[in-house]
Amino acid sequence: MSWHWFDWVVIGVYFSIMFLIGLLFAKRTKSTDDYFKAGGRVPAWVTAMSIYATALSSISFIAIPASVYNNSWLLGMAPLGIILIVVWAAYVFVPFFRRVDVTTAYEYLGRRFDNSFRLIGSLTFIIFHIIRMAIVLYLPTLALQQALPGLNPIVITVIVAIFCVAYTSIGGIEAVLWSDAIQTIVLLLGAFLVIIVGFLASGDGLGHAFSLLANDGKIISPDFFTLDLAKSSIWTIIIGGFFSSIYSYVGSQDIVQRYATNKNEHEAKKSLFLNIPLLCTSIVIFVGMGSALYIFFHTKEVLPETINGNAILPYFVINFLPVGISGLILAAIFAAAQSTVSSSLNSVSTCITKDLLEYLKPNMEDNAKLKFAKLSSWVVGIVSTILAIQFIIKGQGDIFLYFQAITGLLGGPIAAIFLVGIFFDRVDSRAVWIGFIVSILLAFYISDPAGMVSKIIPSYTKPKIFEFMISFIIIGSGVIASFLASFIFGRPSEDKIRQLTFKNVKNIEVK
């Protein structure tokens, strides 16, 4: 089988539906509250699917099955750690952020400590998500390169980005949430089709298929239960998955912003609890797709040596699935990418408008801020697209673990600040500065970005730490250093903790 014009039709229909959703909700976007919070009128199940789709992304959809194919089921278990943080977020952070009533998560840091942390947190988020959007735009381009090698990958990236920015900019967060829900359905359907076709390829039943996986060490790897934290094991996956997700559910605007899109606290909590079965489904599709691809290419076809890890799924989709189904699954890959990009665009626009613009021009009219927010979505989208093009030209290695390292480097120190602010009443802004600086320095030492540490310290040897554990170490160092420093600097003033810590928000009226 090969690529057919009807597959283009399927992808074209998908893009058209996404754009029409943006037009539909543009009519309901009359203010910045509508643009950033959807007026609190989004059903819990839609928010749940949006949170799921936002966190999943094309990074996970393509790279984790490739890791399962090349290694074992281990990385496919990553959602186990995320489930733990989802439960914690539902019981603690949803009611907390709704009761302190902020539009951006970084408004809280400004109230709890000082405005410098609000600006640092917001700018860190903006930089991180520009990089993230570039990565998730890069991976679907890899998929289309396998489909049509003659097509210019740069042109493909630009087209995908323009469609995504267009419906996000005109429709606001409500368009993002509803399009994410549709994209989740497309994504799951595409994943299960890959699993079915791959497992049926063995021709000798499921027993034979699982025997092949077990005999080749694909189910349980040699280090599956090792206690060595420098290696990939079920323990580092769960612990690392939990800590690397803290930033997303506590200090990352794209998910925290969704806590305010439902009509009340009960519905907001419900949206997170509905994520648990979706995350369990993630384990099935990650493990299932990776295993299905392994079975297919070890029983029916031979995978060419020129096809690298991240290209395995696209190669399979284009060359071995029926006409129409190929288009649907590539649409699912686009769905995984666009759900993440659209969420990032809207939340970055929120931060630029609320944290930066309002700081510089506090008396600006709401209608002018709304226009600025829409324009900023386009600017950020263009910058991320340019960065994605650089990835295409230069290439990337194991993109998923690379992304985890970036998460720990940029997100870990900010996550530590949030945890300290919410749970430690005795820590003031001076103490948290100590913790922040310690975690930043440790993050650079562990990650050695662009070889900067190696240039400063000639004898430097990069620590052998599995990427999933980076956030655990960075966040822990920031929290501990802040707490210890509080014994030197003393407690903060009452106005910095009144109704701003977990212990004393319980008396605030529920929203």
Side-chain angles (χ1 to χ4, degrees):
M1 302 175 193
S2 60
W3 191 254
H4 191 271
W5 63 264
F6 185 71
D7 294 307
W8 278 121
V9 172
V10 173
I11 292 178
V13 169
Y14 162 75
F15 276 119
S16 299
I17 291 173
M18 294 301 102
F19 185 72
L20 289 173
I21 289 174
L23 291 176
L24 175 65
F25 288 104
K27 300 177 182 178
R28 303 176 68 172
T29 304
K30 306 297 184 183
S31 66
T32 54
D33 185 68
D34 290 327
Y35 196 76
F36 299 140
K37 295 184 178 181
R41 53 180 173 258
V42 179
W45 68 268
V46 173
T47 303
M49 297 182 89
S50 177
I51 292 173
Y52 173 75
T54 298
L56 185 56
S57 84
S58 58
I59 298 170
S60 306
F61 195 79
I62 293 178
I64 297 183
S67 177
V68 171
Y69 178 95
N70 288 313
N71 302 296
S72 71
W73 285 7
L74 189 57
L75 200 58
M77 303 294 174
L80 290 174
I82 301 174
I83 289 173
L84 298 177
I85 190 67
V86 165
V87 174
W88 192 28
Y91 281 114
V92 175
F93 301 116
V94 166
F96 182 85
F97 280 109
R98 287 188 70 97
R99 295 180 191 194
V100 297
D101 192 23
V102 292
T103 300
T104 76
Y106 316 108
E107 285 183 58
Y108 168 74
L109 294 183
R111 293 188 202 172
R112 176 64 175 85
F113 298 116
D114 57 56
N115 205 58
S116 59
F117 277 112
R118 179 179 182 177
L119 296 176
I120 290 171
S122 189
L123 287 171
T124 299
F125 172 83
I126 291 167
I127 294 169
F128 168 65
H129 276 264
I130 288 174
I131 296 172
R132 188 186 194 207
M133 285 186 282
I135 293 173
V136 299
L137 283 171
Y138 160 75
L139 282 178
T141 301
L142 176 65
L144 268 188
Q145 278 185 285
Q146 290 295 324
L148 298 164
L151 255 164
N152 189 323
I154 296 176
V155 173
I156 296 168
T157 301
V158 171
I159 291 173
V160 173
I162 287 175
F163 265 94
C164 192
V165 175
Y167 77 76
T168 301
S169 175
I170 62 178
I173 189 65
E174 197 165 11
V176 170
L177 293 171
W178 281 94
S179 61
D180 282 354
I182 294 173
Q183 288 162 346
T184 298
I185 295 170
V186 174
L187 184 149
L188 293 177
L189 179 58
F192 281 113
L193 286 172
V194 170
I195 293 170
I196 291 169
V197 173
F199 270 89
L200 289 177
S202 68
D204 295 317
L206 291 177
H208 175 75
F210 280 103
S211 294
L212 173 64
L213 294 170
N215 293 335
D216 289 357
K218 295 300 172 182
I219 297 178
I220 297 179
S221 62
D223 295 323
F224 197 90
F225 294 107
T226 182
L227 297 177
D228 186 348
L229 297 184
K231 295 181 179 179
S232 176
S233 70
I234 189 62
W235 315 118
T236 56
I237 288 292
I238 293 175
I239 297 171
F242 175 84
F243 279 92
S244 65
S245 299
I246 287 179
Y247 175 68
S248 296
Y249 287 86
V250 180
S252 186
Q253 177 63 19
D254 56 332
I255 291 182
V256 173
Q257 186 172 342
R258 281 154 172 72
Y259 300 162
T261 59
N262 305 114
K263 63 182 180 180
N264 55 44
E265 185 179 302
H266 173 75
E267 287 293 296
K269 287 182 177 180
K270 183 179 176 182
S271 70
L272 280 180
F273 286 127
L274 288 173
N275 256 261
I276 295 175
L278 289 171
L279 287 166
C280 292
T281 304
S282 286
I283 298 174
V284 175
I285 64 172
F286 290 157
V287 170
M289 284 197 293
S291 299
L293 293 171
Y294 189 84
I295 291 166
F296 186 87
F297 288 117
H298 286 77
T299 60
K300 191 170 184 178
E301 299 287 341
V302 176
L303 185 68
E305 293 182 0
T306 55
I307 303 299
N308 62 38
N310 291 329
I312 295 174
L313 177 59
Y315 176 80
F316 171 78
V317 169
I318 298 310
N319 292 282
F320 302 106
L321 292 183
V323 171
I325 301 299
S326 296
L328 177 64
I329 295 176
L330 280 188
I333 294 173
F334 284 127
Q338 289 188 312
S339 61
T340 301
V341 172
S342 62
S343 297
S344 294
L345 283 172
N346 184 267
S347 54
V348 167
S349 173
T350 305
C351 289
I352 293 174
T353 304
K354 300 295 291 185
D355 294 325
L356 305 183
L357 179 67
E358 288 189 0
Y359 176 75
L360 298 172
K361 295 186 176 182
N363 299 320
M364 197 172 185
E365 293 185 358
D366 189 74
N367 187 53
K369 286 189 286 188
L370 178 60
K371 292 179 180 178
F372 178 86
K374 292 182 177 181
L375 176 62
S376 64
S377 293
W378 279 100
V379 173
V380 171
I382 291 170
V383 172
S384 293
T385 303
I386 293 172
L387 185 56
I389 291 171
Q390 291 299 309
F391 285 161
I392 293 170
I393 295 171
K394 296 181 180 180
Q396 291 296 330
D398 193 327
I399 202 74
F400 184 75
L401 295 182
Y402 171 77
F403 177 71
Q404 291 298 324
I406 293 175
T407 305
L409 179 63
L410 296 178
I414 298 298
I417 297 175
F418 274 100
L419 293 179
V420 169
I422 294 171
F423 295 111
F424 294 87
D425 291 36
R426 66 170 297 113
V427 179
D428 72 352
S429 60
R430 293 170 298 175
V432 87
W433 267 113
I434 299 297
F436 182 64
I437 293 170
V438 168
S439 60
I440 284 285
L441 291 175
L442 185 60
F444 270 86
Y445 184 83
I446 291 174
S447 302
D448 189 24
M452 293 173 61
V453 179
S454 303
K455 295 175 183 177
I456 298 172
I457 307 174
S459 60
Y460 170 81
T461 301
K462 189 173 182 178
K464 294 181 179 179
I465 302 172
F466 181 54
E467 282 82 351
F468 262 104
M469 296 300 296
I470 290 176
S471 292
F472 168 72
I473 296 171
I474 294 172
I475 293 173
S477 68
V479 171
I480 293 171
S482 297
F483 180 71
L484 293 177
S486 70
F487 289 96
I488 299 174
F489 294 107
R491 299 179 66 87
S493 59
E494 184 63 25
D495 65 302
K496 289 295 183 181
I497 59 174
R498 186 187 304 115
Q499 297 185 335
L500 289 172
T501 63
F502 180 72
K503 187 171 68 175
N504 55 40
V505 298
K506 297 178 181 178
N507 296 326
I508 300 177
E509 182 181 353
V510 177
K511 295 184 179 181

